[in-house]
Amino acid sequence: MKTTIKSILILAVGVSAASFTSEIIEKVSVKSSSISWEGKKVTGNHEGTIQLKDGFFQMEGDAITGGEFVIDMSSINVTDLEGDSKGQLEGHLKSDDFFGVEKFPSAKLVITKAVKKGNTYAVTGDLTIKDTTAPVTFDLVKAGNTLSTLLTIDRTKYGVRYGSGSFFDNLGDKAIYDDFTLDIKLTL
């Protein structure tokens, strides 16, 4: 009997403590959020979009303390080409030469630290592409219910080396730069 009462008291204290925590989960609107990408090569660039599959921020009061975001890699869309050229580039980006979407259908960003400076957060996180995780840092700006950033990613850190002058010689004007950018706008 004493063990049962003690267990109930411990459970009650635990539940009470959990109810007073100020950390909340703030879901991101997938429909209202957007991610645009740009990749550059010696002879020009390509642009497109990719869809957010799911995401949330961990909040303490009105401050971001963490978060997690999943990107649907099968949604890679090229916006600067049309017709066969568009389809060919989308297919190539989804192939094993680049993001291997059939085997790796999503990418994930986990925010591990966010330091608030006015309406900007200095963010540290772990980005996973093709089952390879590497740290990233970026500034995230909050304006009302929208958070935005321009994130530069070195694709070679995630095993995406196709056409990289850092790994292949004599590419000439076929070289593709290692960095690509994501222009991210998240709506709460």
Side-chain angles (χ1 to χ4, degrees):
M1 183 71 170
K2 281 187 177 182
T3 303
T4 303
I5 293 174
K6 187 176 181 182
S7 296
I8 292 171
L9 285 174
I10 290 172
L11 181 61
V13 169
V15 169
S16 295
S19 66
F20 288 110
T21 184
S22 60
E23 187 171 286
I24 59 169
I25 300 296
E26 184 79 38
K27 292 286 283 180
V28 171
S29 170
V30 173
K31 286 186 178 184
S32 301
S33 298
S34 66
I35 304 172
S36 299
W37 59 264
E38 180 181 29
K40 295 182 180 180
K41 56 186 181 174
V42 172
T43 58
N45 69 314
H46 288 292
E47 299 173 347
T49 60
I50 193 162
Q51 298 300 308
L52 182 67
K53 187 175 186 177
D54 195 18
F56 65 87
F57 287 103
Q58 292 170 294
M59 309 285 289
E60 193 163 312
D62 67 346
I64 296 168
T65 59
E68 186 172 302
F69 303 88
V70 178
I71 294 131
D72 178 4
M73 296 302 288
S74 68
S75 71
I76 294 172
N77 179 39
V78 175
T79 58
D80 66 311
L81 296 174
E82 295 179 357
D84 289 343
S85 297
K86 172 184 170 65
Q88 288 171 357
L89 181 54
E90 287 174 355
H92 198 200
L93 291 172
K94 293 175 185 180
S95 78
D96 291 338
D97 282 346
F98 284 93
F99 298 104
V101 170
E102 189 172 311
K103 187 174 179 183
F104 307 103
S106 61
K108 182 164 62 169
L109 172 66
V110 177
I111 295 175
T112 56
K113 182 179 179 184
V115 178
K116 188 174 183 178
K117 298 182 226 171
N119 67 338
T120 302
Y121 289 85
V123 174
T124 303
D126 292 321
L127 178 62
T128 303
I129 299 174
K130 293 179 75 172
D131 272 351
T132 300
T133 302
V136 292
T137 58
F138 55 93
D139 287 337
L140 185 65
V141 178
K142 187 171 190 295
N145 67 340
T146 302
L147 294 106
S148 60
T149 189
L150 187 62
L151 179 59
T152 300
I153 300 167
D154 179 349
R155 64 189 174 94
T156 64
K157 290 182 178 180
Y158 304 92
V160 183
R161 296 179 176 167
Y162 181 87
S164 169
S166 299
F167 292 90
F168 302 100
D169 294 327
N170 303 320
L171 292 172
D173 65 358
K174 303 284 188 213
I176 302 168
Y177 296 122
D178 293 344
D179 289 344
F180 69 93
T181 57
L182 296 176
D183 185 358
I184 303 170
K185 291 180 179 39
L186 304 170
T187 304
L188 300 176

